[in-house]
PDB file of all heavy atoms in Angstrom:
ATOM      1  N   TYR A  24      72.375 130.221 154.551  1.00 53.00           N
ATOM      2  CA  TYR A  24      70.962 130.268 154.212  1.00 53.00           C
ATOM      3  C   TYR A  24      70.611 131.498 153.386  1.00 53.00           C
ATOM      4  O   TYR A  24      69.449 131.811 153.170  1.00 53.00           O
ATOM      5  CB  TYR A  24      70.099 130.246 155.450  1.00 53.00           C
ATOM      6  CG  TYR A  24      70.322 131.341 156.472  1.00 53.00           C
ATOM      7  CD1 TYR A  24      69.669 132.577 156.363  1.00 53.00           C
ATOM      8  CD2 TYR A  24      71.214 131.152 157.542  1.00 53.00           C
ATOM      9  CE1 TYR A  24      69.893 133.570 157.260  1.00 53.00           C
ATOM     10  CE2 TYR A  24      71.430 132.145 158.442  1.00 53.00           C
ATOM     11  CZ  TYR A  24      70.785 133.359 158.331  1.00 53.00           C
ATOM     12  OH  TYR A  24      71.003 134.350 159.243  1.00 53.00           O
ATOM     13  N   GLY A  25      71.618 132.246 152.903  1.00 67.00           N
ATOM     14  CA  GLY A  25      71.359 133.429 152.086  1.00 67.00           C
ATOM     15  C   GLY A  25      70.535 133.152 150.841  1.00 67.00           C
ATOM     16  O   GLY A  25      69.548 133.855 150.580  1.00 67.00           O
ATOM     17  N   PRO A  26      70.874 132.137 150.045  1.00 73.00           N
ATOM     18  CA  PRO A  26      70.085 131.834 148.851  1.00 73.00           C
ATOM     19  C   PRO A  26      68.625 131.494 149.173  1.00 73.00           C
ATOM     20  O   PRO A  26      67.726 131.875 148.399  1.00 73.00           O
ATOM     21  CB  PRO A  26      70.796 130.637 148.199  1.00 73.00           C
ATOM     22  CG  PRO A  26      72.168 130.730 148.743  1.00 73.00           C
ATOM     23  CD  PRO A  26      72.086 131.279 150.110  1.00 73.00           C
ATOM     24  N   PHE A  27      68.374 130.829 150.263  1.00 75.00           N
ATOM     25  CA  PHE A  27      67.015 130.470 150.671  1.00 75.00           C
ATOM     26  C   PHE A  27      66.240 131.699 151.102  1.00 75.00           C
ATOM     27  O   PHE A  27      65.066 131.863 150.796  1.00 75.00           O
ATOM     28  CB  PHE A  27      67.041 129.450 151.780  1.00 75.00           C
ATOM     29  CG  PHE A  27      67.727 128.179 151.411  1.00 75.00           C
ATOM     30  CD1 PHE A  27      69.028 127.954 151.883  1.00 75.00           C
ATOM     31  CD2 PHE A  27      67.132 127.219 150.641  1.00 75.00           C
ATOM     32  CE1 PHE A  27      69.701 126.786 151.520  1.00 75.00           C
ATOM     33  CE2 PHE A  27      67.777 126.050 150.296  1.00 75.00           C
ATOM     34  CZ  PHE A  27      69.089 125.820 150.725  1.00 75.00           C
ATOM     35  N   TYR A  28      66.945 132.622 151.766  1.00 79.00           N
ATOM     36  CA  TYR A  28      66.297 133.881 152.156  1.00 79.00           C
ATOM     37  C   TYR A  28      65.945 134.700 150.961  1.00 79.00           C
ATOM     38  O   TYR A  28      64.858 135.314 150.887  1.00 79.00           O
ATOM     39  CB  TYR A  28      67.189 134.658 153.083  1.00 79.00           C
ATOM     40  CG  TYR A  28      66.659 135.998 153.510  1.00 79.00           C
ATOM     41  CD1 TYR A  28      65.697 136.092 154.545  1.00 79.00           C
ATOM     42  CD2 TYR A  28      67.080 137.154 152.911  1.00 79.00           C
ATOM     43  CE1 TYR A  28      65.174 137.308 154.927  1.00 79.00           C
ATOM     44  CE2 TYR A  28      66.552 138.376 153.268  1.00 79.00           C
ATOM     45  CZ  TYR A  28      65.601 138.432 154.280  1.00 79.00           C
ATOM     46  OH  TYR A  28      65.103 139.620 154.656  1.00 79.00           O
ATOM     47  N   LEU A  29      66.853 134.783 149.964  1.00 84.00           N
ATOM     48  CA  LEU A  29      66.569 135.514 148.734  1.00 84.00           C
ATOM     49  C   LEU A  29      65.370 134.921 148.008  1.00 84.00           C
ATOM     50  O   LEU A  29      64.484 135.648 147.536  1.00 84.00           O
ATOM     51  CB  LEU A  29      67.812 135.512 147.826  1.00 84.00           C
ATOM     52  CG  LEU A  29      67.647 136.195 146.480  1.00 84.00           C
ATOM     53  CD1 LEU A  29      67.300 137.638 146.630  1.00 84.00           C
ATOM     54  CD2 LEU A  29      68.926 136.027 145.664  1.00 84.00           C
ATOM     55  N   GLU A  30      65.324 133.589 147.897  1.00 84.00           N
ATOM     56  CA  GLU A  30      64.192 132.950 147.228  1.00 84.00           C
ATOM     57  C   GLU A  30      62.900 133.225 147.969  1.00 84.00           C
ATOM     58  O   GLU A  30      61.841 133.496 147.330  1.00 84.00           O
ATOM     59  CB  GLU A  30      64.442 131.448 147.147  1.00 84.00           C
ATOM     60  CG  GLU A  30      63.373 130.675 146.413  1.00 84.00           C
ATOM     61  CD  GLU A  30      63.641 129.186 146.350  1.00 84.00           C
ATOM     62  OE1 GLU A  30      64.711 128.778 146.816  1.00 84.00           O
ATOM     63  OE2 GLU A  30      62.815 128.457 145.822  1.00 84.00           O
ATOM     64  N   TYR A  31      62.915 133.178 149.277  1.00 86.00           N
ATOM     65  CA  TYR A  31      61.720 133.464 150.047  1.00 86.00           C
ATOM     66  C   TYR A  31      61.276 134.922 149.851  1.00 86.00           C
ATOM     67  O   TYR A  31      60.095 135.204 149.715  1.00 86.00           O
ATOM     68  CB  TYR A  31      61.981 133.221 151.551  1.00 86.00           C
ATOM     69  CG  TYR A  31      60.879 133.708 152.456  1.00 86.00           C
ATOM     70  CD1 TYR A  31      59.736 132.938 152.629  1.00 86.00           C
ATOM     71  CD2 TYR A  31      60.976 134.924 153.105  1.00 86.00           C
ATOM     72  CE1 TYR A  31      58.734 133.374 153.469  1.00 86.00           C
ATOM     73  CE2 TYR A  31      59.960 135.366 153.922  1.00 86.00           C
ATOM     74  CZ  TYR A  31      58.860 134.591 154.104  1.00 86.00           C
ATOM     75  OH  TYR A  31      57.863 135.044 154.921  1.00 86.00           O
ATOM     76  N   SER A  32      62.243 135.848 149.835  1.00 87.00           N
ATOM     77  CA  SER A  32      61.911 137.267 149.638  1.00 87.00           C
ATOM     78  C   SER A  32      61.237 137.514 148.294  1.00 87.00           C
ATOM     79  O   SER A  32      60.260 138.280 148.199  1.00 87.00           O
ATOM     80  CB  SER A  32      63.188 138.132 149.770  1.00 87.00           C
ATOM     81  OG  SER A  32      63.755 137.998 151.067  1.00 87.00           O
ATOM     82  N   LEU A  33      61.776 136.878 147.222  1.00 90.00           N
ATOM     83  CA  LEU A  33      61.209 137.078 145.896  1.00 90.00           C
ATOM     84  C   LEU A  33      59.851 136.453 145.778  1.00 90.00           C
ATOM     85  O   LEU A  33      58.937 137.009 145.146  1.00 90.00           O
ATOM     86  CB  LEU A  33      62.154 136.529 144.871  1.00 90.00           C
ATOM     87  CG  LEU A  33      63.509 137.213 144.743  1.00 90.00           C
ATOM     88  CD1 LEU A  33      64.423 136.504 143.750  1.00 90.00           C
ATOM     89  CD2 LEU A  33      63.332 138.653 144.338  1.00 90.00           C
ATOM     90  N   LEU A  34      59.652 135.293 146.426  1.00 90.00           N
ATOM     91  CA  LEU A  34      58.333 134.637 146.431  1.00 90.00           C
ATOM     92  C   LEU A  34      57.336 135.531 147.151  1.00 90.00           C
ATOM     93  O   LEU A  34      56.176 135.690 146.677  1.00 90.00           O
ATOM     94  CB  LEU A  34      58.426 133.303 147.087  1.00 90.00           C
ATOM     95  CG  LEU A  34      57.141 132.494 147.156  1.00 90.00           C
ATOM     96  CD1 LEU A  34      56.551 132.222 145.784  1.00 90.00           C
ATOM     97  CD2 LEU A  34      57.333 131.182 147.915  1.00 90.00           C
ATOM     98  N   ALA A  35      57.747 136.097 148.248  1.00 90.00           N
ATOM     99  CA  ALA A  35      56.829 137.020 148.983  1.00 90.00           C
ATOM    100  C   ALA A  35      56.510 138.260 148.169  1.00 90.00           C
ATOM    101  O   ALA A  35      55.393 138.742 148.176  1.00 90.00           O
ATOM    102  CB  ALA A  35      57.450 137.413 150.329  1.00 90.00           C
ATOM    103  N   GLU A  36      57.503 138.776 147.420  1.00 92.00           N
ATOM    104  CA  GLU A  36      57.254 139.958 146.587  1.00 92.00           C
ATOM    105  C   GLU A  36      56.256 139.651 145.478  1.00 92.00           C
ATOM    106  O   GLU A  36      55.384 140.441 145.191  1.00 92.00           O
ATOM    107  CB  GLU A  36      58.583 140.440 145.983  1.00 92.00           C
ATOM    108  CG  GLU A  36      59.505 141.101 146.971  1.00 92.00           C
ATOM    109  CD  GLU A  36      58.990 142.448 147.452  1.00 92.00           C
ATOM    110  OE1 GLU A  36      58.142 143.008 146.796  1.00 92.00           O
ATOM    111  OE2 GLU A  36      59.475 142.896 148.493  1.00 92.00           O
ATOM    112  N   PHE A  37      56.397 138.498 144.861  1.00 92.00           N
ATOM    113  CA  PHE A  37      55.483 138.172 143.758  1.00 92.00           C
ATOM    114  C   PHE A  37      54.062 137.947 144.329  1.00 92.00           C
ATOM    115  O   PHE A  37      53.054 138.312 143.688  1.00 92.00           O
ATOM    116  CB  PHE A  37      55.955 136.908 143.040  1.00 92.00           C
ATOM    117  CG  PHE A  37      55.113 136.575 141.822  1.00 92.00           C
ATOM    118  CD1 PHE A  37      55.208 137.304 140.672  1.00 92.00           C
ATOM    119  CD2 PHE A  37      54.244 135.504 141.859  1.00 92.00           C
ATOM    120  CE1 PHE A  37      54.429 136.994 139.553  1.00 92.00           C
ATOM    121  CE2 PHE A  37      53.474 135.173 140.756  1.00 92.00           C
ATOM    122  CZ  PHE A  37      53.555 135.927 139.610  1.00 92.00           C
ATOM    123  N   THR A  38      53.967 137.378 145.526  1.00 92.00           N
ATOM    124  CA  THR A  38      52.666 137.225 146.166  1.00 92.00           C
ATOM    125  C   THR A  38      51.979 138.576 146.397  1.00 92.00           C
ATOM    126  O   THR A  38      50.815 138.738 146.185  1.00 92.00           O
ATOM    127  CB  THR A  38      52.804 136.450 147.475  1.00 92.00           C
ATOM    128  OG1 THR A  38      53.408 135.177 147.218  1.00 92.00           O
ATOM    129  CG2 THR A  38      51.454 136.229 148.114  1.00 92.00           C
ATOM    130  N   LEU A  39      52.803 139.541 146.797  1.00 92.00           N
ATOM    131  CA  LEU A  39      52.271 140.891 147.016  1.00 92.00           C
ATOM    132  C   LEU A  39      51.796 141.527 145.701  1.00 92.00           C
ATOM    133  O   LEU A  39      50.757 142.203 145.664  1.00 92.00           O
ATOM    134  CB  LEU A  39      53.332 141.793 147.641  1.00 92.00           C
ATOM    135  CG  LEU A  39      53.650 141.555 149.108  1.00 92.00           C
ATOM    136  CD1 LEU A  39      54.801 142.473 149.554  1.00 92.00           C
ATOM    137  CD2 LEU A  39      52.442 141.785 149.982  1.00 92.00           C
ATOM    138  N   VAL A  40      52.495 141.270 144.600  1.00 92.00           N
ATOM    139  CA  VAL A  40      52.118 141.774 143.290  1.00 92.00           C
ATOM    140  C   VAL A  40      50.737 141.189 142.912  1.00 92.00           C
ATOM    141  O   VAL A  40      49.845 141.943 142.420  1.00 92.00           O
ATOM    142  CB  VAL A  40      53.181 141.444 142.216  1.00 92.00           C
ATOM    143  CG1 VAL A  40      52.645 141.787 140.837  1.00 92.00           C
ATOM    144  CG2 VAL A  40      54.449 142.205 142.506  1.00 92.00           C
ATOM    145  N   VAL A  41      50.572 139.898 143.137  1.00 92.00           N
ATOM    146  CA  VAL A  41      49.301 139.272 142.794  1.00 92.00           C
ATOM    147  C   VAL A  41      48.163 139.839 143.622  1.00 92.00           C
ATOM    148  O   VAL A  41      47.053 140.106 143.105  1.00 92.00           O
ATOM    149  CB  VAL A  41      49.422 137.730 142.964  1.00 92.00           C
ATOM    150  CG1 VAL A  41      48.072 137.071 142.757  1.00 92.00           C
ATOM    151  CG2 VAL A  41      50.465 137.164 142.012  1.00 92.00           C
ATOM    152  N   LYS A  42      48.429 140.075 144.896  1.00 93.00           N
ATOM    153  CA  LYS A  42      47.371 140.599 145.783  1.00 93.00           C
ATOM    154  C   LYS A  42      46.995 142.038 145.442  1.00 93.00           C
ATOM    155  O   LYS A  42      45.831 142.434 145.638  1.00 93.00           O
ATOM    156  CB  LYS A  42      47.829 140.525 147.247  1.00 93.00           C
ATOM    157  CG  LYS A  42      47.912 139.079 147.765  1.00 93.00           C
ATOM    158  CD  LYS A  42      48.293 139.106 149.249  1.00 93.00           C
ATOM    159  CE  LYS A  42      48.299 137.678 149.817  1.00 93.00           C
ATOM    160  NZ  LYS A  42      48.682 137.679 151.264  1.00 93.00           N
ATOM    161  N   GLN A  43      47.922 142.808 144.949  1.00 91.00           N
ATOM    162  CA  GLN A  43      47.637 144.219 144.634  1.00 91.00           C
ATOM    163  C   GLN A  43      46.699 144.357 143.445  1.00 91.00           C
ATOM    164  O   GLN A  43      45.989 145.358 143.328  1.00 91.00           O
ATOM    165  CB  GLN A  43      48.942 144.965 144.349  1.00 91.00           C
ATOM    166  CG  GLN A  43      49.818 145.167 145.569  1.00 91.00           C
ATOM    167  CD  GLN A  43      49.150 145.968 146.673  1.00 91.00           C
ATOM    168  OE1 GLN A  43      48.443 146.941 146.370  1.00 91.00           O
ATOM    169  NE2 GLN A  43      49.373 145.616 147.919  1.00 91.00           N
ATOM    170  N   LYS A  44      46.733 143.396 142.490  1.00 91.00           N
ATOM    171  CA  LYS A  44      45.873 143.452 141.308  1.00 91.00           C
ATOM    172  C   LYS A  44      46.002 144.792 140.573  1.00 91.00           C
ATOM    173  O   LYS A  44      45.030 145.525 140.331  1.00 91.00           O
ATOM    174  CB  LYS A  44      44.422 143.188 141.702  1.00 91.00           C
ATOM    175  CG  LYS A  44      44.170 141.827 142.295  1.00 91.00           C
ATOM    176  CD  LYS A  44      42.713 141.652 142.642  1.00 91.00           C
ATOM    177  CE  LYS A  44      42.501 140.242 143.267  1.00 91.00           C
ATOM    178  NZ  LYS A  44      41.055 140.028 143.649  1.00 91.00           N
ATOM    179  N   LEU A  45      47.254 145.111 140.206  1.00 92.00           N
ATOM    180  CA  LEU A  45      47.510 146.369 139.540  1.00 92.00           C
ATOM    181  C   LEU A  45      46.766 146.406 138.193  1.00 92.00           C
ATOM    182  O   LEU A  45      46.981 145.522 137.355  1.00 92.00           O
ATOM    183  CB  LEU A  45      48.986 146.521 139.327  1.00 92.00           C
ATOM    184  CG  LEU A  45      49.874 146.444 140.566  1.00 92.00           C
ATOM    185  CD1 LEU A  45      51.342 146.605 140.202  1.00 92.00           C
ATOM    186  CD2 LEU A  45      49.454 147.542 141.567  1.00 92.00           C
ATOM    187  N   PRO A  46      45.976 147.389 137.959  1.00 93.00           N
ATOM    188  CA  PRO A  46      45.177 147.438 136.683  1.00 93.00           C
ATOM    189  C   PRO A  46      46.094 147.604 135.450  1.00 93.00           C
ATOM    190  O   PRO A  46      46.884 148.554 135.399  1.00 93.00           O
ATOM    191  CB  PRO A  46      44.268 148.656 136.851  1.00 93.00           C
ATOM    192  CG  PRO A  46      44.945 149.489 137.897  1.00 93.00           C
ATOM    193  CD  PRO A  46      45.660 148.571 138.800  1.00 93.00           C
ATOM    194  N   GLY A  47      45.939 146.696 134.510  1.00 93.00           N
ATOM    195  CA  GLY A  47      46.664 146.826 133.246  1.00 93.00           C
ATOM    196  C   GLY A  47      48.122 146.393 133.355  1.00 93.00           C
ATOM    197  O   GLY A  47      48.892 146.600 132.366  1.00 93.00           O
ATOM    198  N   VAL A  48      48.572 145.800 134.456  1.00 95.00           N
ATOM    199  CA  VAL A  48      49.949 145.412 134.611  1.00 95.00           C
ATOM    200  C   VAL A  48      50.039 143.896 134.860  1.00 95.00           C
ATOM    201  O   VAL A  48      49.340 143.407 135.741  1.00 95.00           O
ATOM    202  CB  VAL A  48      50.635 146.143 135.766  1.00 95.00           C
ATOM    203  CG1 VAL A  48      52.101 145.750 135.910  1.00 95.00           C
ATOM    204  CG2 VAL A  48      50.547 147.643 135.569  1.00 95.00           C
ATOM    205  N   TYR A  49      50.834 143.202 134.077  1.00 95.00           N
ATOM    206  CA  TYR A  49      50.983 141.763 134.208  1.00 95.00           C
ATOM    207  C   TYR A  49      52.476 141.413 134.226  1.00 95.00           C
ATOM    208  O   TYR A  49      53.239 141.936 133.433  1.00 95.00           O
ATOM    209  CB  TYR A  49      50.272 141.040 133.057  1.00 95.00           C
ATOM    210  CG  TYR A  49      48.827 141.383 132.921  1.00 95.00           C
ATOM    211  CD1 TYR A  49      48.419 142.469 132.131  1.00 95.00           C
ATOM    212  CD2 TYR A  49      47.848 140.648 133.556  1.00 95.00           C
ATOM    213  CE1 TYR A  49      47.063 142.802 132.030  1.00 95.00           C
ATOM    214  CE2 TYR A  49      46.527 140.977 133.482  1.00 95.00           C
ATOM    215  CZ  TYR A  49      46.128 142.055 132.707  1.00 95.00           C
ATOM    216  OH  TYR A  49      44.792 142.375 132.564  1.00 95.00           O
ATOM    217  N   VAL A  50      52.868 140.576 135.182  1.00 94.00           N
ATOM    218  CA  VAL A  50      54.274 140.169 135.281  1.00 94.00           C
ATOM    219  C   VAL A  50      54.373 138.681 135.456  1.00 94.00           C
ATOM    220  O   VAL A  50      53.412 138.032 135.946  1.00 94.00           O
ATOM    221  CB  VAL A  50      54.975 140.866 136.459  1.00 94.00           C
ATOM    222  CG1 VAL A  50      55.159 142.345 136.189  1.00 94.00           C
ATOM    223  CG2 VAL A  50      54.257 140.637 137.772  1.00 94.00           C
ATOM    224  N   GLN A  51      55.532 138.141 135.067  1.00 93.00           N
ATOM    225  CA  GLN A  51      55.762 136.699 135.177  1.00 93.00           C
ATOM    226  C   GLN A  51      57.277 136.501 135.430  1.00 93.00           C
ATOM    227  O   GLN A  51      58.084 136.923 134.630  1.00 93.00           O
ATOM    228  CB  GLN A  51      55.351 135.983 133.909  1.00 93.00           C
ATOM    229  CG  GLN A  51      55.769 134.508 133.829  1.00 93.00           C
ATOM    230  CD  GLN A  51      54.993 133.673 134.862  1.00 93.00           C
ATOM    231  OE1 GLN A  51      53.847 133.885 135.102  1.00 93.00           O
ATOM    232  NE2 GLN A  51      55.683 132.703 135.438  1.00 93.00           N
ATOM    233  N   PRO A  52      57.656 135.890 136.581  1.00 93.00           N
ATOM    234  CA  PRO A  52      59.089 135.619 136.799  1.00 93.00           C
ATOM    235  C   PRO A  52      59.690 134.729 135.751  1.00 93.00           C
ATOM    236  O   PRO A  52      59.014 133.843 135.184  1.00 93.00           O
ATOM    237  CB  PRO A  52      59.106 134.949 138.183  1.00 93.00           C
ATOM    238  CG  PRO A  52      57.815 135.371 138.814  1.00 93.00           C
ATOM    239  CD  PRO A  52      56.821 135.488 137.698  1.00 93.00           C
ATOM    240  N   SER A  53      60.928 134.931 135.473  1.00 93.00           N
ATOM    241  CA  SER A  53      61.644 134.143 134.482  1.00 93.00           C
ATOM    242  C   SER A  53      61.854 132.706 134.925  1.00 93.00           C
ATOM    243  O   SER A  53      61.926 132.451 136.126  1.00 93.00           O
ATOM    244  CB  SER A  53      63.001 134.804 134.181  1.00 93.00           C
ATOM    245  OG  SER A  53      63.853 133.924 133.434  1.00 93.00           O
ATOM    246  N   TYR A  54      61.911 131.803 134.010  1.00 91.00           N
ATOM    247  CA  TYR A  54      62.218 130.402 134.299  1.00 91.00           C
ATOM    248  C   TYR A  54      63.685 130.245 134.638  1.00 91.00           C
ATOM    249  O   TYR A  54      64.047 129.443 135.505  1.00 91.00           O
ATOM    250  CB  TYR A  54      61.848 129.532 133.107  1.00 91.00           C
ATOM    251  CG  TYR A  54      62.244 128.087 133.285  1.00 91.00           C
ATOM    252  CD1 TYR A  54      61.400 127.185 133.982  1.00 91.00           C
ATOM    253  CD2 TYR A  54      63.406 127.576 132.738  1.00 91.00           C
ATOM    254  CE1 TYR A  54      61.762 125.865 134.147  1.00 91.00           C
ATOM    255  CE2 TYR A  54      63.764 126.253 132.901  1.00 91.00           C
ATOM    256  CZ  TYR A  54      62.930 125.424 133.593  1.00 91.00           C
ATOM    257  OH  TYR A  54      63.294 124.076 133.750  1.00 91.00           O
ATOM    258  N   GLN A  55      64.553 131.040 133.990  1.00 89.00           N
ATOM    259  CA  GLN A  55      65.984 130.908 134.158  1.00 89.00           C
ATOM    260  C   GLN A  55      66.459 131.484 135.474  1.00 89.00           C
ATOM    261  O   GLN A  55      67.375 130.937 136.106  1.00 89.00           O
ATOM    262  CB  GLN A  55      66.701 131.541 132.980  1.00 89.00           C
ATOM    263  CG  GLN A  55      66.386 130.905 131.656  1.00 89.00           C
ATOM    264  CD  GLN A  55      67.065 131.637 130.505  1.00 89.00           C
ATOM    265  OE1 GLN A  55      67.854 132.579 130.713  1.00 89.00           O
ATOM    266  NE2 GLN A  55      66.805 131.181 129.264  1.00 89.00           N
ATOM    267  N   SER A  56      65.884 132.626 135.888  1.00 89.00           N
ATOM    268  CA  SER A  56      66.357 133.320 137.078  1.00 89.00           C
ATOM    269  C   SER A  56      65.171 134.030 137.717  1.00 89.00           C
ATOM    270  O   SER A  56      64.419 134.736 137.060  1.00 89.00           O
ATOM    271  CB  SER A  56      67.459 134.291 136.746  1.00 89.00           C
ATOM    272  OG  SER A  56      67.764 135.106 137.869  1.00 89.00           O
TER     273      SER A  56
END
């Protein structure tokens, strides 16, 4: 279940980025990876 845990961790990280609303900073995960 390592790959699923990694995917969950990255999804949680991106959710935290969205919640922080960093001023002037915009990010988007890659489609490929």
Side-chain angles (χ1 to χ4, degrees):
Y24 59 86
F27 302 100
Y28 177 80
L29 176 61
E30 182 179 358
Y31 171 80
S32 299
L33 295 176
L34 179 61
E36 288 291 342
F37 186 73
T38 302
L39 287 176
V40 172
V41 175
K42 289 183 178 180
Q43 291 298 322
K44 298 180 180 179
L45 304 178
V48 181
Y49 303 89
V50 291
Q51 172 68 37
S53 167
Y54 175 83
Q55 300 177 2
S56 172

